Coordinates of all heavy atoms in Angstrom, one line a residue:
M141 N 4.3 -7.3 3.4 CA 4.5 -6.3 2.4 C 3.5 -6.4 1.3 O 2.9 -7.4 1.0 CB 5.9 -6.5 1.8 CG 6.3 -5.7 0.6 SD 7.9 -6.1 0.1 CE 8.1 -4.9 -1.2
L142 N 3.1 -5.2 0.7 CA 2.2 -5.3 -0.5 C 2.9 -4.6 -1.6 O 3.7 -3.6 -1.4 CB 0.9 -4.7 -0.1 CG 0.7 -3.3 0.4 CD1 0.4 -2.4 -0.9 CD2 -0.3 -3.1 1.4
L143 N 2.5 -5.0 -2.9 CA 3.0 -4.3 -4.0 C 1.9 -3.8 -4.8 O 0.8 -4.4 -4.9 CB 3.7 -5.4 -4.9 CG 5.0 -6.0 -4.3 CD1 5.5 -7.2 -5.1 CD2 6.1 -5.0 -4.1
Y144 N 2.2 -2.7 -5.5 CA 1.2 -2.0 -6.4 C 1.9 -1.8 -7.7 O 2.9 -1.1 -7.8 CB 0.7 -0.7 -5.9 CG -0.2 0.1 -6.7 CD1 -1.4 -0.4 -7.2 CD2 0.2 1.3 -7.2 CE1 -2.2 0.4 -8.1 CE2 -0.6 2.1 -8.1 CZ -1.8 1.6 -8.5 OH -2.6 2.3 -9.3
R145 N 1.4 -2.4 -8.7 CA 2.0 -2.2 -10.1 C 0.9 -1.6 -11.0 O -0.2 -2.0 -11.1 CB 2.5 -3.5 -10.7 CG 3.1 -3.4 -11.9 CD 3.6 -4.7 -12.5 NE 4.1 -4.4 -13.9 CZ 4.5 -5.5 -14.7 NH1 4.6 -6.7 -14.2 NH2 4.9 -5.2 -15.9
R146 N 1.4 -0.7 -11.7 CA 0.5 0.0 -12.8 C 1.4 0.2 -14.0 O 2.4 1.1 -14.0 CB 0.0 1.3 -12.3 CG -0.9 1.9 -13.2 CD -1.6 3.2 -12.7 NE -2.5 3.7 -13.7 CZ -3.2 4.9 -13.5 NH1 -3.1 5.4 -12.4 NH2 -3.9 5.3 -14.5
G147 N 1.3 -0.7 -15.0 CA 2.2 -0.6 -16.2 C 3.7 -0.9 -15.8 O 3.8 -2.0 -15.1
T148 N 4.5 0.0 -16.0 CA 6.0 -0.3 -15.6 C 6.3 0.3 -14.3 O 7.4 0.2 -13.8 CB 6.9 0.2 -16.7 OG1 6.6 1.6 -16.8 CG2 6.7 -0.4 -18.0
E149 N 5.3 1.0 -13.7 CA 5.6 1.7 -12.3 C 5.2 0.6 -11.2 O 4.2 -0.1 -11.4 CB 4.8 2.9 -12.1 CG 5.2 4.0 -13.0 CD 4.4 5.3 -12.7 OE1 4.0 5.5 -11.5 OE2 4.2 6.0 -13.6
I150 N 6.1 0.5 -10.2 CA 5.8 -0.4 -9.1 C 6.1 0.4 -7.8 O 7.0 1.1 -7.7 CB 6.5 -1.7 -9.3 CG1 6.1 -2.7 -8.3 CG2 8.1 -1.5 -9.2 CD1 6.3 -4.1 -8.6
R151 N 5.2 0.1 -6.8 CA 5.4 0.6 -5.4 C 5.3 -0.5 -4.5 O 4.5 -1.5 -4.7 CB 4.4 1.6 -5.1 CG 4.3 2.8 -6.0 CD 5.4 3.8 -5.8 NE 5.2 5.0 -6.5 CZ 5.7 5.2 -7.8 NH1 6.2 4.2 -8.5 NH2 5.5 6.3 -8.4
G152 N 6.1 -0.4 -3.4 CA 6.1 -1.5 -2.3 C 5.8 -0.7 -1.0 O 6.3 0.4 -0.7
Y153 N 5.0 -1.3 -0.2 CA 4.8 -0.8 1.2 C 4.8 -1.9 2.2 O 4.3 -3.0 1.9 CB 3.4 0.0 1.2 CG 3.3 1.1 0.3 CD1 2.7 0.9 -1.0 CD2 3.8 2.3 0.6 CE1 2.6 1.9 -1.8 CE2 3.8 3.4 -0.3 CZ 3.2 3.2 -1.6 OH 3.0 4.2 -2.5
V154 N 5.1 -1.5 3.5 CA 4.9 -2.4 4.5 C 3.5 -2.6 4.8 O 2.7 -1.6 4.7 CB 5.6 -1.9 5.9 CG1 5.4 -2.8 7.1 CG2 7.2 -1.7 5.6
N155 N 3.0 -3.8 4.9 CA 1.5 -4.0 5.1 C 1.2 -3.8 6.5 O 1.0 -4.7 7.3 CB 1.2 -5.3 4.7 CG -0.3 -5.7 4.8 OD1 -1.1 -4.7 4.9 ND2 -0.7 -6.9 4.8
N156 N 1.3 -2.6 6.9 CA 1.0 -2.1 8.3 C 0.2 -0.8 8.3 O 0.8 0.2 7.9 CB 2.3 -2.0 9.0 CG 2.2 -1.8 10.5 OD1 1.3 -2.2 11.1 ND2 3.2 -0.9 11.0
C157 N -1.0 -0.8 8.7 CA -1.8 0.6 8.8 C -1.2 1.4 10.0 O -1.0 0.9 11.0 CB -3.2 0.1 9.1 SG -4.2 1.6 9.1
P158 N -0.9 2.6 9.7 CA -0.4 3.5 10.7 C -1.4 3.8 11.9 O -1.1 4.4 12.8 CB 0.0 4.8 9.9 CG -0.8 4.7 8.7 CD -1.0 3.3 8.3
H159 N -2.6 3.4 11.7 CA -3.7 3.7 12.7 C -3.4 2.8 13.9 O -3.0 3.4 15.0 CB -5.0 3.4 12.1 CG -6.2 3.7 13.2 ND1 -7.3 3.0 13.1 CD2 -6.3 4.8 14.0 CE1 -8.1 3.6 14.1 NE2 -7.5 4.6 14.6
F160 N -3.6 1.6 13.9 CA -3.4 0.7 15.0 C -2.3 -0.3 14.8 O -2.0 -1.3 15.6 CB -4.6 -0.1 15.3 CG -5.7 0.7 16.2 CD1 -7.0 0.2 16.4 CD2 -5.3 1.9 16.8 CE1 -7.8 0.9 17.2 CE2 -6.1 2.6 17.5 CZ -7.4 2.1 17.8
G161 N -1.5 -0.2 13.6 CA -0.4 -1.1 13.4 C -0.9 -2.5 13.0 O -0.2 -3.5 13.2
L162 N -2.1 -2.5 12.4 CA -2.6 -3.8 11.9 C -2.3 -4.0 10.4 O -2.2 -2.9 9.7 CB -4.1 -3.9 12.1 CG -4.5 -3.8 13.6 CD1 -6.0 -3.6 13.7 CD2 -4.1 -5.1 14.3
P163 N -2.4 -5.1 9.9 CA -2.3 -5.3 8.3 C -3.4 -4.6 7.7 O -4.6 -4.6 8.4 CB -2.3 -6.9 8.2 CG -1.9 -7.4 9.5 CD -2.3 -6.5 10.6
L164 N -3.2 -4.2 6.5 CA -4.4 -3.5 5.8 C -5.5 -4.5 5.4 O -6.7 -4.2 5.2 CB -3.9 -2.9 4.5 CG -3.0 -1.6 4.8 CD1 -2.2 -1.3 3.6 CD2 -3.8 -0.4 5.3
N165 N -5.1 -5.8 5.4 CA -6.1 -6.8 5.0 C -6.5 -7.6 6.2 O -5.8 -7.8 7.1 CB -5.5 -7.8 3.9 CG -4.2 -8.4 4.3 OD1 -3.4 -7.8 4.8 ND2 -4.1 -9.7 4.0
A166 N -7.8 -8.1 6.1 CA -8.3 -8.9 7.2 C -8.2 -10.4 6.9 O -8.3 -11.3 7.8 CB -9.8 -8.5 7.5
R167 N -8.2 -10.7 5.6 CA -8.1 -12.1 5.1 C -6.9 -12.2 4.3 O -6.4 -11.2 3.6 CB -9.4 -12.4 4.2 CG -10.6 -12.5 4.9 CD -11.7 -12.9 4.0 NE -13.1 -13.0 4.7 CZ -14.1 -13.3 4.1 NH1 -14.2 -13.6 2.9 NH2 -15.3 -13.4 4.8
A168 N -6.3 -13.4 4.3 CA -5.0 -13.6 3.6 C -5.2 -13.2 2.1 O -6.0 -13.7 1.5 CB -4.5 -15.0 3.8
N169 N -4.2 -12.5 1.7 CA -4.1 -12.1 0.2 C -5.4 -11.4 -0.4 O -5.6 -11.5 -1.6 CB -3.8 -13.3 -0.6 CG -2.4 -13.9 -0.2 OD1 -1.5 -13.3 0.0 ND2 -2.5 -15.2 0.0
E170 N -6.2 -10.9 0.4 CA -7.5 -10.1 0.1 C -7.3 -8.7 0.5 O -7.3 -8.4 1.6 CB -8.7 -10.7 0.5 CG -9.0 -12.1 -0.2 CD -10.3 -12.6 0.4 OE1 -11.3 -11.9 0.8 OE2 -10.5 -13.8 0.2
F171 N -7.3 -7.8 -0.4 CA -7.2 -6.3 -0.1 C -8.4 -5.6 -0.7 O -8.9 -5.9 -1.8 CB -5.9 -5.8 -0.7 CG -4.6 -6.3 0.1 CD1 -4.1 -7.5 -0.4 CD2 -4.1 -5.6 1.2 CE1 -2.9 -8.0 0.3 CE2 -3.0 -6.1 1.8 CZ -2.4 -7.3 1.3
L172 N -8.8 -4.5 0.0 CA -9.9 -3.7 -0.6 C -9.5 -2.5 -1.4 O -9.0 -1.6 -0.9 CB -10.7 -3.3 0.7 CG -11.1 -4.3 1.7 CD1 -11.8 -3.7 2.9 CD2 -12.2 -5.3 1.0
L173 N -9.5 -2.8 -2.7 CA -9.2 -1.6 -3.5 C -10.4 -0.8 -3.6 O -11.6 -1.3 -3.7 CB -8.8 -2.3 -4.9 CG -7.5 -3.1 -4.9 CD1 -7.2 -3.6 -6.3 CD2 -6.3 -2.3 -4.3
Y174 N -10.1 0.6 -3.6 CA -11.2 1.5 -3.4 C -11.0 2.5 -4.5 O -10.0 3.4 -4.4 CB -11.2 2.1 -1.9 CG -12.3 3.0 -1.7 CD1 -13.6 2.6 -1.4 CD2 -12.0 4.3 -1.7 CE1 -14.6 3.5 -1.1 CE2 -13.0 5.3 -1.4 CZ -14.3 4.8 -1.0 OH -15.3 5.6 -0.8
G175 N -11.8 2.6 -5.6 CA -11.5 3.5 -6.6 C -10.2 3.2 -7.3 O -9.5 2.2 -7.2
E176 N -9.8 4.2 -8.2 CA -8.5 4.0 -9.0 C -7.3 4.4 -8.1 O -7.1 5.4 -7.7 CB -8.6 5.0 -10.1 CG -7.3 4.8 -11.0 CD -7.1 3.5 -11.6 OE1 -8.0 2.7 -11.9 OE2 -5.9 3.3 -11.9
G177 N -6.5 3.3 -7.9 CA -5.2 3.5 -7.2 C -5.3 3.7 -5.7 O -4.5 4.4 -5.1
L178 N -6.5 3.3 -5.2 CA -6.6 3.6 -3.6 C -6.8 2.2 -2.9 O -7.4 1.2 -3.5 CB -7.9 4.4 -3.4 CG -7.9 5.8 -4.0 CD1 -9.3 6.4 -3.8 CD2 -6.8 6.7 -3.4
I179 N -6.4 2.2 -1.8 CA -6.6 0.9 -0.9 C -7.2 1.2 0.4 O -6.9 2.3 1.0 CB -5.3 0.1 -0.7 CG1 -5.6 -1.2 -0.1 CG2 -4.2 0.9 0.1 CD1 -4.4 -2.3 -0.2
M180 N -8.2 0.5 0.8 CA -8.9 0.8 2.1 C -8.4 -0.2 3.2 O -8.4 -1.5 2.9 CB -10.4 0.7 1.9 CG -11.2 1.0 3.2 SD -13.0 0.8 3.0 CE -13.3 2.2 2.2
C181 N -8.1 0.2 4.3 CA -7.8 -0.7 5.4 C -9.1 -1.5 5.8 O -10.1 -0.8 5.9 CB -7.2 0.2 6.7 SG -6.9 -0.9 8.1
A182 N -8.9 -2.7 6.0 CA -10.1 -3.5 6.3 C -10.7 -3.4 7.8 O -11.7 -3.9 8.1 CB -9.7 -5.0 6.0
H183 N -9.8 -2.6 8.6 CA -10.3 -2.5 10.0 C -11.2 -1.4 10.4 O -12.1 -1.5 11.0 CB -9.0 -2.7 10.9 CG -8.2 -3.9 10.7 ND1 -8.6 -5.1 11.1 CD2 -7.0 -4.2 9.9 CE1 -7.7 -6.0 10.6 NE2 -6.9 -5.5 10.0
H184 N -10.7 -0.2 9.9 CA -11.4 1.1 10.4 C -11.6 1.9 9.1 O -11.9 3.1 9.2 CB -10.9 1.8 11.5 CG -10.5 0.9 12.7 ND1 -9.2 0.5 13.0 CD2 -11.4 0.3 13.5 CE1 -9.3 -0.3 14.1 NE2 -10.5 -0.5 14.3
S185 N -11.3 1.4 7.9 CA -11.7 2.1 6.6 C -10.7 3.3 6.2 O -11.2 4.1 5.4 CB -13.1 2.5 6.7 OG -14.0 1.4 6.9
A186 N -9.6 3.5 6.9 CA -8.7 4.5 6.3 C -8.4 4.2 4.8 O -8.3 3.0 4.5 CB -7.5 4.5 7.1
V187 N -8.3 5.2 4.0 CA -8.0 5.0 2.6 C -6.6 5.6 2.3 O -6.3 6.8 2.6 CB -9.0 5.7 1.8 CG1 -8.8 5.5 0.3 CG2 -10.4 5.0 2.1
F188 N -5.7 4.9 1.5 CA -4.4 5.3 1.1 C -4.3 5.3 -0.4 O -4.9 4.5 -1.0 CB -3.4 4.4 1.7 CG -3.5 4.3 3.2 CD1 -4.4 3.4 3.8 CD2 -2.7 5.1 4.0 CE1 -4.3 3.3 5.3 CE2 -2.8 5.0 5.4 CZ -3.7 4.1 6.0
R189 N -3.5 6.3 -0.9 CA -3.2 6.3 -2.3 C -2.0 5.3 -2.5 O -1.1 5.4 -1.8 CB -2.7 7.8 -2.7 CG -3.8 8.7 -3.1 CD -3.3 9.9 -3.8 NE -2.1 10.5 -3.1 CZ -2.0 11.7 -2.6 NH1 -3.0 12.6 -2.7 NH2 -0.9 12.1 -1.9
L190 N -2.2 4.4 -3.4 CA -1.1 3.5 -3.7 C 0.1 4.1 -4.4 O 1.2 3.5 -4.3 CB -1.7 2.3 -4.5 CG -2.7 1.4 -3.6 CD1 -3.4 0.4 -4.4 CD2 -1.7 0.7 -2.6
V191 N 0.0 5.2 -5.1 CA 1.1 5.9 -5.9 C 2.1 6.3 -4.8 O 3.3 6.4 -5.2 CB 0.6 6.8 -6.8 CG1 0.1 8.1 -6.2 CG2 1.7 7.1 -7.8
D192 N 1.7 6.8 -3.6 CA 2.7 7.4 -2.7 C 2.4 7.0 -1.3 O 3.1 7.5 -0.3 CB 2.7 8.9 -2.8 CG 1.4 9.6 -2.5 OD1 0.4 8.8 -2.2 OD2 1.2 10.7 -2.7
G193 N 1.4 6.2 -1.1 CA 1.0 5.7 0.3 C 0.5 6.7 1.3 O 0.1 6.4 2.4
Q194 N 0.1 8.0 0.8 CA -0.5 9.0 1.6 C -1.9 8.6 1.9 O -2.8 8.2 1.1 CB -0.5 10.4 0.8 CG -1.1 11.4 1.5 CD -0.3 11.9 2.7 OE1 0.9 12.1 2.6 NE2 -0.9 12.0 3.9
C195 N -2.3 8.8 3.3 CA -3.7 8.6 3.6 C -4.5 9.8 3.1 O -4.2 10.9 3.2 CB -3.8 8.5 5.1 SG -5.5 8.3 5.7
V196 N -5.7 9.4 2.5 CA -6.5 10.5 1.9 C -7.9 10.5 2.6 O -8.7 11.4 2.3 CB -6.7 10.3 0.4 CG1 -5.3 10.5 -0.3 CG2 -7.3 9.0 0.1
A197 N -8.2 9.6 3.5 CA -9.4 9.6 4.2 C -9.3 8.6 5.4 O -8.8 7.6 5.3 CB -10.5 9.1 3.3
G198 N -10.0 9.1 6.5 CA -10.2 8.1 7.7 C -9.1 8.4 8.8 O -9.4 7.9 9.9
L199 N -8.0 9.0 8.6 CA -7.1 9.2 9.6 C -6.6 10.8 9.6 O -6.9 11.4 8.6 CB -5.7 8.4 9.5 CG -6.0 6.9 9.4 CD1 -4.6 6.2 9.3 CD2 -6.5 6.4 10.8
T200 N -5.9 11.2 10.5 CA -5.5 12.6 10.6 C -4.4 12.7 9.4 O -3.8 11.9 9.1 CB -4.8 12.9 11.9 OG1 -3.7 12.0 12.1 CG2 -5.9 12.8 13.1
S201 N -4.4 14.0 8.9 CA -3.6 14.2 7.8 C -2.0 14.0 8.2 O -1.6 14.0 9.4 CB -3.5 15.7 7.5 OG -3.3 16.5 8.4
G202 N -1.3 13.6 7.2 CA 0.1 13.3 7.4 C 0.4 11.8 7.5 O 1.6 11.4 7.4
E203 N -0.5 11.0 7.8 CA -0.3 9.6 8.0 C -0.1 8.9 6.6 O -0.6 9.3 5.6 CB -1.5 8.9 8.6 CG -1.8 9.4 10.0 CD -1.0 8.8 11.1 OE1 0.0 8.1 10.8 OE2 -1.2 9.1 12.2
R204 N 0.8 8.0 6.5 CA 1.1 7.3 5.3 C 1.6 5.9 5.5 O 2.1 5.6 6.5 CB 2.0 8.1 4.5 CG 3.5 8.3 5.0 CD 4.3 9.3 4.3 NE 4.4 8.8 2.8 CZ 4.4 9.7 1.8 NH1 4.3 11.0 2.0 NH2 4.4 9.2 0.5
L205 N 1.5 5.1 4.5 CA 2.2 3.8 4.4 C 3.7 3.9 4.4 O 4.2 4.8 3.8 CB 1.7 3.0 3.3 CG 0.0 2.7 3.3 CD1 -0.3 2.0 2.1 CD2 -0.4 2.0 4.5
E206 N 4.4 3.0 5.1 CA 5.8 3.0 5.1 C 6.3 2.4 3.7 O 5.9 1.2 3.4 CB 6.4 2.2 6.3 CG 7.9 2.2 6.2 CD 8.5 1.3 7.3 OE1 7.8 1.0 8.3 OE2 9.7 1.0 7.3
P207 N 7.0 3.1 2.9 CA 7.5 2.6 1.7 C 8.6 1.6 1.8 O 9.3 1.6 2.7 CB 8.0 3.8 0.9 CG 8.4 4.8 1.9 CD 7.4 4.5 3.2
V208 N 8.5 0.6 0.8 CA 9.6 -0.3 0.7 C 10.1 -0.2 -0.8 O 9.5 -0.3 -1.7 CB 9.1 -1.8 0.9 CG1 10.2 -2.8 0.6 CG2 8.5 -2.0 2.2
P209 N 11.4 0.3 -0.9 CA 12.0 0.5 -2.2 C 12.0 -0.9 -3.1 O 12.6 -1.8 -2.5 CB 13.3 1.1 -1.9 CG 13.5 1.3 -0.5 CD 12.4 0.5 0.2
V210 N 11.4 -0.7 -4.1 CA 11.5 -2.0 -5.0 C 11.7 -1.4 -6.5 O 11.4 -0.3 -6.8 CB 10.1 -2.8 -5.0 CG1 9.9 -3.4 -3.6 CG2 8.9 -1.9 -5.3
R211 N 12.1 -2.3 -7.4 CA 12.3 -2.0 -8.8 C 11.9 -3.2 -9.6 O 11.9 -4.3 -9.1 CB 13.6 -1.6 -9.1 CG 14.7 -2.6 -8.8 CD 16.1 -2.1 -9.0 NE 17.1 -3.0 -8.4 CZ 17.8 -3.9 -9.3 NH1 17.6 -3.9 -10.6 NH2 18.6 -4.7 -8.7
L212 N 11.4 -2.8 -10.8 CA 10.9 -3.9 -11.8 C 11.9 -4.0 -12.8 O 12.4 -3.0 -13.5 CB 9.5 -3.5 -12.3 CG 8.8 -4.3 -13.3 CD1 8.4 -5.6 -12.5 CD2 7.6 -3.7 -13.9
V213 N 12.4 -5.3 -13.1 CA 13.4 -5.5 -14.1 C 12.7 -6.6 -15.0 O 12.5 -7.9 -14.6 CB 14.7 -5.9 -13.5 CG1 15.6 -6.3 -14.7 CG2 15.3 -4.9 -12.6
G214 N 12.2 -6.2 -16.1 CA 11.5 -7.2 -16.9 C 10.2 -7.6 -16.3 O 9.3 -6.7 -15.9
T215 N 10.1 -8.7 -16.0 CA 8.9 -9.3 -15.2 C 9.2 -9.7 -13.8 O 8.4 -10.1 -13.0 CB 8.3 -10.5 -15.9 OG1 9.3 -11.5 -15.9 CG2 7.8 -10.2 -17.3
E216 N 10.4 -9.3 -13.4 CA 10.9 -9.7 -12.0 C 10.9 -8.4 -11.1 O 11.2 -7.4 -11.5 CB 12.2 -10.3 -11.9 CG 12.2 -11.7 -12.6 CD 13.4 -12.4 -12.5 OE1 14.4 -12.1 -13.3 OE2 13.5 -13.3 -11.7
I217 N 10.6 -8.6 -9.8 CA 10.5 -7.5 -8.9 C 11.7 -7.7 -7.8 O 11.7 -8.8 -7.2 CB 9.2 -7.4 -8.1 CG1 8.1 -7.2 -9.2 CG2 9.1 -6.4 -7.1 CD1 6.6 -7.4 -8.7
F218 N 12.4 -6.7 -7.5 CA 13.5 -6.8 -6.7 C 13.4 -5.7 -5.6 O 12.9 -4.6 -5.9 CB 14.9 -6.6 -7.4 CG 15.2 -7.7 -8.4 CD1 14.8 -7.5 -9.7 CD2 15.8 -8.9 -8.1 CE1 15.0 -8.5 -10.6 CE2 16.1 -9.9 -9.0 CZ 15.7 -9.6 -10.3
L219 N 14.0 -6.0 -4.4 CA 14.1 -4.9 -3.4 C 15.2 -4.1 -3.9 O 16.2 -4.5 -4.5 CB 14.5 -5.6 -2.0 CG 13.4 -6.4 -1.3 CD1 14.0 -7.0 -0.1 CD2 12.2 -5.5 -0.9
A220 N 15.0 -2.8 -3.7 CA 16.0 -1.8 -4.3 C 16.7 -1.2 -3.1 O 16.2 -1.1 -2.0 CB 15.2 -0.7 -5.2
D221 N 17.8 -0.4 -3.4 CA 18.5 0.3 -2.4 C 17.6 1.4 -2.1 O 17.0 2.1 -3.0 CB 19.8 0.8 -2.9 CG 20.9 -0.5 -3.1 OD1 20.6 -1.5 -2.3 OD2 21.8 -0.3 -3.9
A222 N 17.6 1.8 -0.8 CA 16.8 3.1 -0.5 C 17.3 4.2 -1.0 O 18.3 4.5 -1.4 CB 16.7 3.1 1.1
Ligands
LIG37 S1 -6.2 -0.2 11.7 FE1 -6.3 0.6 9.7 S2 -7.8 2.2 9.9 FE2 -7.6 1.4 12.0

């Protein structure tokens, strides 16, 4: 799973690229942030928006990261009901 936090907004996603089902990172705990709010898959360079998980480059349209509902309470992060 990966988390993206911007101020009080937080998003969670399964760390699984929809292209080949590989983790987005190639090295433990190292992710390729690409521009503002974008993450690039380390394997074949697909790019996803972190605000909604939508793929914006590198794969066919409609591909997206699988969301994991999370919520921020103070400084703690919890799994939320879907
Ligand atoms: S596995 Fe992520 S772009 Fe291919």
Side-chain angles (χ1 to χ4, degrees):
M141 174 177 183
L142 63 98
L143 296 168
Y144 172 67
R145 180 178 173 183
R146 185 172 178 184
T148 58
E149 292 186 31
I150 190 158
R151 301 284 189 273
Y153 299 102
V154 175
N155 184 14
N156 183 36
C157 180
H159 184 215
F160 278 168
L162 298 170
L164 292 163
N165 56 318
R167 294 182 176 177
N169 301 316
E170 290 185 21
F171 292 87
L172 301 174
L173 298 179
Y174 184 78
E176 178 62 28
L178 301 173
I179 188 169
M180 177 185 284
C181 178
H183 302 287
H184 309 108
S185 304
V187 178
F188 301 87
R189 277 192 311 241
L190 285 163
V191 70
D192 61 4
Q194 180 68 49
C195 181
V196 295
L199 299 178
T200 56
S201 62
E203 300 279 5
R204 60 186 310 141
L205 301 176
E206 181 180 347
V208 176
V210 292
R211 61 188 170 94
L212 183 65
V213 179
T215 58
E216 297 184 279
I217 301 163
F218 297 90
L219 292 173
D221 294 332

